[in-house]
Amino acid sequence: MSAYIVHQSEIQITQIVDHIQQGHLLAIPTETVYGLAANAADDEAIKKIYQLKNRPTNHPLIVHIAPPIEGSGIELAWERELALWSNDVPAQAIVLAKAFWPGPLTIILKKAKHVSDLITGGQSTVGIRVPRHPWTIQLLQAFGGGLVAPSANRFGRISPTTAMHVFDEFNDFVQAQQLMILDGGDCEVGIESTILDLSRLEQQGPVILRPGMISEQAICKVLGVSTLQANDNSIRHSGGMLGHYAPQTPLITKDISQLTPADFSEKKMAVVSFIEQQELKKQWPDADVDWYQIPRDVNVVAKELYRLLRDLDNKNYQKIIFDQLPLAPEWAGLHDRLTRSVYGSGIN
Ligand code: TXA
Ligand code: MG
């Protein structure tokens, strides 16, 4: 294969399936972020993911599977799909699959015996998700197996939402033809899937391990419960580390309507705010600042957050100040990502 960033019109699905079956890695578009994919049944291929990402091998990977063909008996079809990965599929998993898949939800189940320790990080559970990108769905259907895919970024860094971001992360491997990137356009959701743990239902009910754009409220509604228990952080997952999704430029959050002259101590700063640029420029005419405005729309901010952080990181600002996000529950996923970005920022 000569081109290593490919569009759908340039390649047959069968060629991509061959590539995977030969144990090679592939960057795939999903609706959340791009994933770095390998055959879930091929330990040698999975090892390459850890090497490329520089990720510790005790951090588990999500298995991506195809949706069953729509039609009657869909519950049974979901049950069959999930039974390939878990011997203990609770009724809640089927209800959630019907409501949210394909889509940005990962469900953690007790793992079936054959699921490799390299996928589960040695834990007794496995994360499953059905992504919504049409090309990736086609690929998963043609391939027939599962693809493990972490976000296609180096460990701890900002997740990619375009094919170019993936190239920027791994250009040496792409040029050495060790990684093929499927360019499926911009990711429509923009932050990683919500992760819901259903593996300890008897002890604690369903628990959100990582918030995302499928909110706790939406999950409660579908499950017919009023709240979920909070995560006690005893389950290891890399998105659960404090410093993650991080730019190299120092990043802080602050209510931009409360800026003071002391906030402008650095030269060449970026301020990202919900407030009109014109208004801020008027208020701070002498500040050495590039102002960026974001809308108060949770879907737009989610779609743009990682691209914006990457772009700002490439501009060599001395500091980025990001406006405080609204407290409404649907912003929980963004609060989580931004807090971790702040914590991990400023480290080269
Ligand atoms: O939207 C997404 O979920 C993206 C796209 C590519 O699908 N994937 C993604 O993968 O975000 P990754 O590896 O960057 O983050 C997956 C998170 C990690 O924090 C991992 O520890 C956690 O899922 N995870 C995976 N399997 C798990 C398990 N069995 N138990 C607990 N956490 C698990
Ligand atoms: Mg990740």
Side-chain angles (χ1 to χ4, degrees), residues 114-137:
H114 70 87
V115 181
S116 163
D117 277 347
L118 276 174
I119 297 179
T120 65
Q123 301 183 90
S124 58
T125 57
V126 61
I128 310 281
R129 149 167 150 74
V130 179
R132 198 166 62 204
H133 195 287
W135 193 11
T136 295
I137 289 181

Side-chain angles (χ1 to χ4, degrees), residues 30-183:
T30 85
E31 78 284 20
T32 58
V33 300
Y34 273 75
L36 186 60
N39 181 354
D42 182 345
D43 273 2
E44 291 312 309
I46 300 173
K47 282 184 197 157
K48 290 185 197 164
I49 291 185
Y50 287 101
Q51 280 163 12
L52 239 68
K53 276 191 68 110
N54 202 10
R55 169 166 165 148
T57 46
N58 60 359
H59 285 272
L61 302 171
I62 295 171
V63 178
H64 297 64
I65 60 171
I69 309 297
E70 282 283 339
S72 58
I74 189 75
E75 272 112 353
L76 199 63
W78 280 122
E79 252 172 63
R80 263 196 225 115
E81 291 299 324
L82 289 175
L84 296 172
W85 302 95
S86 172
N87 300 328
D88 186 359
V89 180
Q92 288 93 327
I94 306 302
V95 172
L96 291 162
K98 261 183 79 180
F100 296 118
W101 280 349
L105 177 71
T106 295
I107 295 177
I108 308 288
L109 299 174
K110 289 182 188 140
K111 83 174 188 85
K113 211 162 165 217
H114 70 87
V115 181
S116 163
D117 277 347
L118 276 174
I119 297 179
T120 65
Q123 301 183 90
S124 58
T125 57
V126 61
I128 310 281
R129 149 167 150 74
V130 179
R132 198 166 62 204
H133 195 287
W135 193 11
T136 295
I137 289 181
Q138 241 186 51
L139 169 62
L140 285 164
Q141 283 170 338
F143 174 54
L147 289 177
V148 284
S151 52
N153 52 279
R154 301 207 187 225
F155 187 61
R157 316 277 325 149
I158 302 169
S159 304
T161 55
T162 69
M164 265 327 277
H165 293 166
V166 181
F167 181 75
D168 290 344
E169 290 285 319
F170 297 114
N171 60 33
D172 39 349
F173 294 100
V174 180
Q175 275 160 12
Q177 307 215 333
Q178 288 170 16
L179 171 65
M180 180 161 71
I181 302 176
L182 303 188
D183 185 349

Side-chain angles (χ1 to χ4, degrees), residues 141 271 308 329:
Q141 283 170 338
V271 172
L308 183 60

